[in-house]
Amino acid sequence: LQESITKAKGKVEADYTADSWANLQAVLTESETLYENGDATQDQVNDQVTKLEKAIANLVKKPVDEPTTDPSVTKPTPAAPANDSEWQNISTAEELKNIGATGYYRLTNNITFENKVDITEFNGVLDGNGFSIIRENTPFDPIFTTIGSDGVIQNLGIEGEKARKVLAETLKGKVLNSYSWLKGNESNLIDVMEPGAVIYNTYTLPKNSAGIGYTGNGGDIINSYWTSEQPFYFDKYQTTLTDSFKKSDTEIKSDDFLAILNENATGFKTWYQGEGGAPQFQEYQPDVLEYPLTFTEYGPTTNVIDITEKGVFRTDVFGDERGYLGKFEVKNYQNPVSWTFENEKNIQPLVSISKNEGEVFAQGVEKGTIIATDAKTGTELARIPFETFVPDNFDLQLKIKDVDYTGKDYVLKGSSGVGIDPFVSVNNSPYAKVKTNLFDWSSDKPKSLNVGTDGWVTVYKEDTARIKVSLGSVDKTINFTSNYIPVESIKPNFEGTYVIHRRNPNSIGQNGKPGIADFNPLSNKIPGTNEEDLTSQQKLAIVTPENATYSRAYTVTSSNTDVLNYHASLQNTIVPYKEGKTQITVTSNDPNLTEQKTGTS
């Protein structure tokens, strides 16, 4: 939780939209309060980490004005020598490191390259020939310092681990028909783009959202694509964009995007659908699973998907109201199978799979691995990458008691709360109820009317507030008004005799007092049984009427605090310290009453 709080505090307000920033600050305040509370349980901490990480992930970069577009820009053609014999083949990292400042160079295979080319400025031609330079253990250095005005990089893939300026610190020349898949933070293709530079039919797809470069000082970007909000972090829009746009991860992995690249690749290397769906130059030959799987999707009709390859299996995050997405099975396998899910992050996963049944549940976007093993022998049967994602085309309805109140007003009577149910339609499918904690829930007046991740609206005082429900680029609201209902009477929920001894009387209990047993909070019995009603531990007063606006606002005192006292924590309770007698008094805090109501037991 501390790490997530530190990450959230490292964000800069000026970079993000007001709504997404306000949502982060609200969740951050909750997280800091929980962090300071010594009585927080591990489950509460885990839930808060998940909520805070979602708020960080859902920050939306501020939009920028569109740069100018020049439709007259000429599309480049491949660079090649007059004589094919002039090509110098590059097959090793050492050969790549020692290429000259000029000349024609062509890769003959993929190369793992952890160095930097030994020249200050490259003004030759490097043709990837459909192969990739794989970057590992290179946190800062790009492949080139500067690609000069006569330099050309074409038909090249760049893959692996890297942070920022992947290909070059400065681009003055051309990058044609290429791509960058990097897993580092802010893995931009270049650092600075200068006037006269050209990037054509190229895309970037980092693990974390990034653009073409860090600073744009000019040049032309033609038929090229990125995943961040804009191509550069800093650009005075001296850079000209022609048919170049932000694309989502889903769009880049689509057949339509592959067709766009190939339409503009005349004379260059042909693009193919790569592993996981993103285009590359080498035709992907998937590994075949020794034990094929099936996945039965949740939905109104049974849709069984056969999985025969080791490629990434992706499904949208919307299942039923429990978060159930579907069920994996090993096809035609007779022995019992054990299922596990391993996520990429070292925090509580947002996806889970039932060990024995293979049922998958999700409460957010997640990447990881589904693993099937023989439950008797422990032999691994199958291992496939698994992702949940938020689809681009979905609509959200907010219903209360099966009535759509999206964008409408709803009146609450006193403190009577109400639940909001999210219903989703994907690609114009029928609306279906989905899991509430997939979404970010917020109130513009949380001290008056607040909403939890379960969609329940709680009233603390009479007021009007807007409840917003968000996921990705979609957000919907309901306007709530709570009417005032006064407190008529109040009395303690506890009276009589309670048996409190439950643990070792020699232990050190509340307040570290030696010899005093560590007792549980008081609770009443379920009527007609001898079982404890644990929900009664937090209900310290009985208020009439039950839906009085300030039914939750009261003070609890004990006449003998050595015997029993009110205990403020995440859940307010009355805690006994030792045997004895005391009086409990509850006093209403309804600010609209001239004389507060009290009750004693």
Side-chain angles (χ1 to χ4, degrees):
L1 180 58
Q2 185 182 43
E3 290 175 358
S4 294
I5 289 171
T6 301
K7 184 197 297 186
K9 287 184 173 180
K11 300 298 179 181
V12 179
E13 181 177 3
D15 293 342
Y16 303 101
T17 60
D19 284 349
S20 67
W21 183 259
N23 178 60
L24 174 64
Q25 295 311 299
V27 178
L28 178 59
T29 299
E30 292 176 8
S31 302
E32 290 177 319
T33 300
L34 182 63
Y35 180 74
E36 295 297 330
N37 193 303
D39 295 317
T41 67
Q42 187 62 53
D43 285 343
Q44 289 166 335
V45 171
N46 290 344
D47 290 345
Q48 194 64 34
V49 168
T50 298
K51 186 175 180 181
L52 183 54
E53 287 290 336
K54 284 177 66 176
I56 294 171
N58 285 328
L59 282 171
V60 178
K61 285 272 189 179
K62 283 185 177 178
V64 296
D65 296 331
E66 287 295 322
T68 58
T69 298
D70 185 355
S72 67
V73 172
T74 303
K75 294 183 178 181
T77 56
N83 191 324
D84 196 59
S85 63
E86 294 181 49
W87 284 112
Q88 301 178 56
N89 290 334
I90 303 295
S91 61
T92 68
E94 188 65 21
E95 289 174 343
L96 179 59
K97 184 174 183 291
N98 294 311
I99 63 174
T102 60
Y104 293 88
Y105 304 92
R106 181 169 56 192
L107 300 190
T108 60
N109 49 261
N110 294 336
I111 296 176
T112 298
F113 188 62
E114 299 181 1
N115 300 302
K116 188 175 185 179
V117 173
D118 280 344
I119 50 175
T120 303
E121 183 169 304
F122 179 67
N123 280 291
V125 174
L126 176 63
D127 192 325
N129 199 24
F131 294 106
S132 298
I133 295 176
I134 300 167
R135 304 293 277 164
E136 292 180 357
N137 303 317
T138 53
F140 299 109
D141 288 336
I143 297 171
F144 295 97
T145 300
T146 299
I147 299 173
S149 56
D150 293 325
V152 177
I153 309 297
Q154 61 189 24
N155 301 318
L156 178 66
I158 307 174
E159 304 176 18
E161 304 279 347
K162 187 66 181 66
R164 288 188 59 179
K165 51 188 180 185
V166 174
L167 178 60
E169 287 186 12
T170 304
L171 176 65
K172 300 177 181 178
K174 299 176 181 178
V175 178
L176 312 175
N177 205 57
S178 297
Y179 69 87
S180 172
W181 297 347
L182 273 297
K183 297 181 180 179
N185 187 37
E186 298 179 1
S187 298
N188 300 302
L189 183 66
I190 59 173
D191 200 22
V192 180
M193 186 171 182
E194 297 289 4
V198 174
I199 296 176
Y200 173 71
N201 209 43
T202 292
Y203 77 91
T204 62
L205 183 64
K207 179 179 178 181
N208 296 312
S209 181
I212 296 294
Y214 200 74
T215 303
N217 291 332
D220 293 288
I221 300 178
I222 310 167
N223 298 110
S224 295
Y225 314 93
W226 53 88
T227 56
S228 62
E229 289 300 318
Q230 59 275 331
F232 294 97
Y233 285 94
F234 300 103
D235 191 354
K236 297 177 181 178
Y237 295 127
Q238 298 163 344
T239 304
T240 301
L241 300 187
T242 301
D243 295 326
S244 297
F245 315 98
K246 172 190 174 181
K247 293 284 185 181
S248 70
D249 181 275
T250 303
E251 288 174 321
I252 283 177
K253 294 177 180 179
S254 68
D255 292 338
D256 289 343
F257 184 68
L258 179 67
I260 291 171
L261 291 177
N262 278 323
E263 182 181 341
N264 295 301
T266 304
F268 294 96
K269 282 290 182 180
T270 300
W271 295 84
Y272 298 94
Q273 209 85 45
E275 182 179 7
Q280 62 181 33
F281 299 117
Q282 299 174 41
E283 192 166 5
Y284 173 57
Q285 300 295 332
D287 290 334
V288 176
L289 288 170
E290 182 179 357
Y291 294 92
L293 307 178
T294 61
F295 184 72
T296 304
E297 287 185 310
Y298 164 76
T301 59
T302 301
N303 183 25
V304 180
I305 302 171
D306 287 320
I307 306 169
T308 59
E309 302 169 356
K310 294 181 180 179
V312 178
F313 184 81
R314 305 178 79 240
T315 183
D316 74 58
V317 76
F318 298 123
D320 67 6
E321 57 193 278
R322 302 170 300 155
Y324 174 65
L325 301 182
K327 180 178 181 178
F328 279 104
E329 294 179 280
V330 180
K331 199 170 185 178
N332 301 322
Y333 195 74
Q334 301 304 314
N335 287 353
V337 176
S338 179
W339 298 89
T340 55
F341 174 80
E342 295 179 352
N343 69 335
E344 293 184 356
K345 301 175 182 177
N346 191 26
I347 59 173
Q348 186 179 18
L350 299 176
V351 166
S352 61
I353 186 168
S354 58
K355 181 178 179 180
N356 298 323
E357 301 300 326
E359 295 178 330
V360 180
F361 297 82
Q363 53 181 336
V365 173
E366 182 69 280
K367 292 182 180 181
T369 304
I370 298 288
I371 303 168
T373 57
D374 187 300
K376 292 182 178 179
T377 66
T379 302
E380 185 173 302
L381 305 174
R383 173 185 291 260
I384 60 167
F386 180 82
E387 296 181 9
T388 56
F389 66 94
V390 177
D392 294 325
N393 300 316
F394 81 92
D395 189 37
L396 173 64
Q397 285 185 352
L398 305 178
K399 294 187 177 183
I400 299 174
K401 300 175 182 177
D402 292 326
V403 177
D404 182 11
Y405 278 92
T406 309
K408 300 176 182 178
D409 297 331
Y410 190 89
V411 177
L412 295 163
K413 297 180 179 179
S415 63
S416 295
V418 71
I420 303 174
D421 295 318
F423 283 71
V424 163
S425 167
V426 180
N427 294 324
N428 297 316
S429 65
Y431 285 88
K433 188 176 179 180
V434 297
K435 192 172 179 65
T436 57
N437 66 358
L438 292 173
F439 302 87
D440 289 317
W441 300 78
S442 62
S443 167
D444 63 348
K445 296 180 182 177
K447 293 184 178 180
S448 299
L449 294 94
N450 205 5
V451 63
T453 56
D454 59 356
W456 186 261
V457 179
T458 302
V459 179
Y460 296 104
K461 63 181 181 180
E462 73 273 20
D463 206 343
T464 297
R466 183 183 67 163
I467 302 298
K468 184 170 73 172
V469 186
S470 307
L471 181 62
S473 60
V474 175
D475 59 69
K476 299 295 176 73
T477 61
I478 300 178
N479 296 315
F480 284 89
T481 299
S482 60
N483 292 335
Y484 174 68
I485 296 178
V487 173
E488 296 176 3
S489 66
I490 186 171
K491 65 177 182 179
N493 190 35
F494 299 95
E495 62 180 357
T497 300
Y498 292 82
V499 178
I500 61 174
H501 183 99
R502 303 180 189 180
R503 300 183 185 176
N504 181 2
N506 295 317
S507 67
I508 296 177
Q510 282 84 4
N511 300 323
K513 295 180 180 179
I516 298 179
D518 189 5
F519 298 121
N520 287 338
L522 286 189
S523 59
N524 290 319
K525 303 291 185 182
I526 297 175
T529 74
N530 198 36
E531 296 180 16
E532 292 185 48
D533 178 7
L534 297 181
T535 62
S536 68
Q537 291 180 355
Q538 286 82 46
K539 187 177 181 181
L540 309 185
I542 299 173
V543 177
T544 305
E546 288 187 6
N547 66 334
T549 301
Y550 293 94
S551 61
R552 297 179 182 84
Y554 50 78
T555 303
V556 182
T557 57
S558 168
S559 64
N560 189 344
T561 57
D562 286 339
V563 170
L564 178 146
N565 203 8
Y566 170 71
H567 187 69
S569 63
L570 289 175
Q571 295 177 324
N572 299 329
T573 55
I574 298 176
V575 180
Y577 295 144
K578 65 181 181 181
E579 66 177 351
K581 295 183 179 181
T582 186
Q583 282 190 331
I584 300 172
T585 300
V586 288
T587 303
S588 170
N589 292 329
D590 187 333
N592 297 322
L593 296 178
T594 55
E595 184 178 347
Q596 294 297 340
K597 308 294 183 179
T598 64
T600 300
S601 63

